[in-house]
């Protein structure tokens, strides 16, 4: 689905269910962080953390381990494309740079399921 002209995102984003979170392990230069994602699409994820990752800068490539509900963990790579400070913490937008076909299929099916449940962003 193509997003409206004022929206830069081109992929449908969905919100995970609170009772069935999506976990992301981020392995960067000098840090390891395990977080639950805010939203996900085939293009990437948004995460919010109560702190700013030391050593994590825009355009830093990261190793990712993604766990969708009822699925085994799979690997991907991503790059931080956006960072915004909020009262609740720092919001990061991570774009997938390497995602194998099986991982892509799992995310596509997950997004379709969440859209059916009305969880579109």
């Amino acid at each position: 689905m193509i997003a409206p002209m004022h929206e830069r995102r081109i992929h449908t984003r969905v919100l995970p269910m609170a009772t069935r979170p999506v976990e992301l392990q981020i392995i960067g230069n000098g840090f390891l962080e395990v977080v639950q994602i805010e939203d996900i699409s085939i293009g990437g994820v948004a995460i919010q953390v109560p702190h700013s990752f030391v050593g994590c800068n825009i355009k830093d490539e990261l190793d990712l381990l993604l766990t969708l509900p009822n699925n085994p963990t799979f690997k991907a790579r991503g790059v931080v494309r956006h960072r915004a400070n909020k009262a609740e913490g720092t919001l990061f937008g991570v774009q997938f740079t390497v995602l194998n076909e099986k991982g892509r299929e799992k995310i596509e099916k997950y997004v379709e399921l969440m859209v059916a449940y009305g969880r579109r962003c």
Side-chain angles (χ1 to χ4, degrees):
M1 174 180 180
I2 302 297
M5 291 300 289
H6 65 280
E7 178 65 56
R8 292 185 344 184
R9 298 178 185 142
I10 60 171
H11 303 288
T12 301
R13 287 189 166 264
V14 294
L15 303 167
M17 293 181 173
T19 57
R20 304 192 74 199
V22 174
E23 181 183 277
L24 182 67
Q25 297 177 48
I26 305 165
I27 305 157
N29 187 14
F31 70 90
L32 168 66
E33 190 77 31
V34 179
V35 297
Q36 292 179 2
I37 66 157
E38 295 286 314
D39 67 52
I40 185 169
S41 77
I42 195 64
V45 296
I47 60 169
Q48 187 165 310
V49 294
H51 56 81
S52 195
F53 297 124
V54 175
C56 182
N57 299 306
I58 300 290
K59 300 183 183 169
D60 280 354
E61 193 158 40
L62 308 165
D63 290 311
L64 308 170
L65 296 173
L66 189 64
T67 307
L68 299 168
N70 298 324
N71 280 280
T73 300
F74 60 93
K75 294 180 184 180
R77 287 189 59 80
V79 64
V80 175
R81 292 286 184 210
H82 174 76
R83 183 162 121 181
N85 294 322
K86 296 188 164 209
E88 311 82 45
T90 305
L91 182 70
F92 290 88
V94 180
Q95 180 183 10
F96 296 130
T97 57
V98 176
L99 183 62
N100 68 28
E101 190 60 33
K102 284 186 179 183
R104 182 179 179 87
E105 288 172 4
K106 288 177 184 179
I107 294 172
E108 286 174 341
K109 287 178 183 176
Y110 180 78
V111 168
E112 288 173 8
L113 180 63
M114 291 300 101
V115 166
Y117 280 113
R119 307 290 297 171
R120 177 183 242 145
C121 293

